[in-house]
Amino acid sequence: MGKVGVVTQLTIDDAAGRSVTQIQYGDWQEIARESGGTGLTCFPKRIVVVQPGQDLELEMKLISVTLNPPISPQRFRLMPPGGISVTRLSPP
């Protein structure tokens, strides 16, 4: 028996109401948040995506999950590709 209030499956239908994608969630684990919140949150460690019309089945098993890790502001620096001009705008 699963936990109450935990999503186990999501089905996506096309405009005609036919199921095109089924996503199954399992192996829910409580995970501590790094920052941006307190306490624990639940996260599925196993996700299966099935698209019957495409003969596709993809299973993902997460080994570790880090929620809301601190991110250095340096990661958000604009690094335009060579040959691209950048126009700096002054604040209004």
Side-chain angles (χ1 to χ4, degrees):
M1 181 173 194
K3 293 182 181 181
V4 175
V6 173
V7 174
T8 57
Q9 183 169 312
L10 174 68
T11 301
I12 301 170
D13 297 335
D14 64 10
R18 293 181 301 258
S19 174
V20 292
T21 303
Q22 298 162 352
I23 307 169
Q24 301 165 9
Y25 302 95
D27 193 16
W28 287 86
Q29 303 282 318
E30 287 186 338
I31 299 171
R33 299 179 193 188
E34 288 283 320
S35 64
T38 59
L40 300 173
T41 189
C42 286
F43 199 87
K45 302 278 292 243
R46 181 176 177 268
I47 303 169
V48 178
V49 178
V50 178
Q51 292 184 328
Q54 302 294 320
D55 194 28
L56 172 88
E57 183 171 326
L58 171 67
E59 180 177 4
M60 296 173 274
K61 292 182 180 180
L62 293 104
I63 297 169
S64 68
V65 176
T66 303
L67 299 176
N68 299 326
I71 300 174
S72 165
Q74 294 295 339
R75 302 259 327 220
F76 296 98
R77 291 184 65 196
L78 174 62
M79 302 296 284
I84 301 295
S85 64
V86 174
T87 304
R88 305 244 182 238
L89 303 175
S90 59

